[in-house]
Amino acid sequence: MYLMKKGRMDEAHELVTKIEVELGVAPGPKPTMAQLEKATSASFSVAKLFSPVYLKRTICLWILWFCIVFSYYGIFLWLPTLLVKAGHNMVQSFEFVLWMTVAQIPGYFAAAALVDRIGRKPTMAIFLLGCAASAFMFGNAKSASDIYLWGCLMSFFNLGAWGVLYTYSPELYPTEARSTGVGWAAAFGRIGGILAPMVVAAMITAPDAVPMVFMMFTGVLVVAALNMLILGDETKQKALN
């Protein structure tokens, strides 16, 4: 689609034909000049992201990126310190973090398995709510076994949500708007990555800092899940343009 919209029809046809041959599909005809003229589009400005056509998608995506980036950097940058604050020694804290990091890997695979089976919206909502529940339980965990369990589940669901985010984001915009739409959403998300460590730093001096911090992350993740369910458009098996 990108090549077509840039007027490079021969390259686009050659690429699609190669894919068709690899899949055992009979190659289709080369697009006509009328189709080329229809596909070719003008440049896309940032202001158009807030036009009626894209406004709901832009708001949804910006909230998703902000909440997910906020929760990830807020949790994992401060996790060893928070565990020490909860009464665990530094060596044990880094051991907890190591296992939580390993748990991220199956989270990606689980999200990849579900995203084309049940859809983007339910998969994202499940992983965000799963991360929210795990964060709440992790913040109130006392024993080492509970910390391992809820910490690994929190990591599993959080990174699974990241996997869905990278799949879902480009599907919300047409080719001419895709890099602009996703780029600005990701940039807005980075604001969350900047703010989260500072917010945790401000909260960490409180007597009950650990439960309070993870209650905050629970709230942020619930907001992200509701945002996806209310404002998100399902893009499963829909053609890109």
Side-chain angles (χ1 to χ4, degrees), residues 169-180:
S169 298
E171 295 177 339
L172 288 179
Y173 297 104
T175 302
E176 66 272 12
R178 191 161 294 129
S179 60
T180 303

Side-chain angles (χ1 to χ4, degrees), residues 82-155:
L82 290 168
L83 288 167
V84 170
K85 179 81 174 176
H88 305 279
N89 63 57
M90 186 60 73
V91 173
Q92 189 179 32
S93 297
F94 277 104
E95 183 181 339
F96 290 143
V97 174
L98 172 63
W99 286 109
M100 291 175 206
T101 305
V102 171
Q104 297 176 1
I105 299 171
Y108 277 121
F109 284 103
L114 290 173
V115 76
D116 278 326
R117 293 187 182 182
I118 66 173
R120 278 62 164 154
K121 285 184 69 171
T123 303
M124 178 67 90
I126 288 168
F127 276 79
L128 288 171
L129 291 173
C131 188
S134 301
F136 176 80
M137 297 301 295
F138 181 86
N140 293 278
K142 302 300 181 185
S143 67
S145 59
D146 284 346
I147 290 174
Y148 277 121
L149 172 64
W150 297 113
C152 287
L153 284 174
M154 180 173 63
S155 187

Side-chain angles (χ1 to χ4, degrees), residues 1-8 12 15-16 35-36 38-45 48-49 53-54 57 168-183 238-241:
M1 293 302 299
Y2 171 81
L3 293 172
M4 287 179 65
K5 288 179 184 291
K6 291 298 183 182
R8 296 156 62 181
L15 178 60
V16 172
Q35 290 172 309
L36 173 60
K38 184 179 179 181
T40 305
S41 61
S43 59
F44 190 90
S45 66
K48 290 182 182 179
L49 293 176
V53 177
Y54 302 114
R57 305 179 206 178
Y168 182 65
S169 298
E171 295 177 339
L172 288 179
Y173 297 104
T175 302
E176 66 272 12
R178 191 161 294 129
S179 60
T180 303
V182 177
K238 290 187 179 180
L240 298 176
N241 54 26

Side-chain angles (χ1 to χ4, degrees), residues 60 71 94 149 158 200:
C60 176
S71 64
F94 277 104
L149 172 64
N158 192 280
V200 176

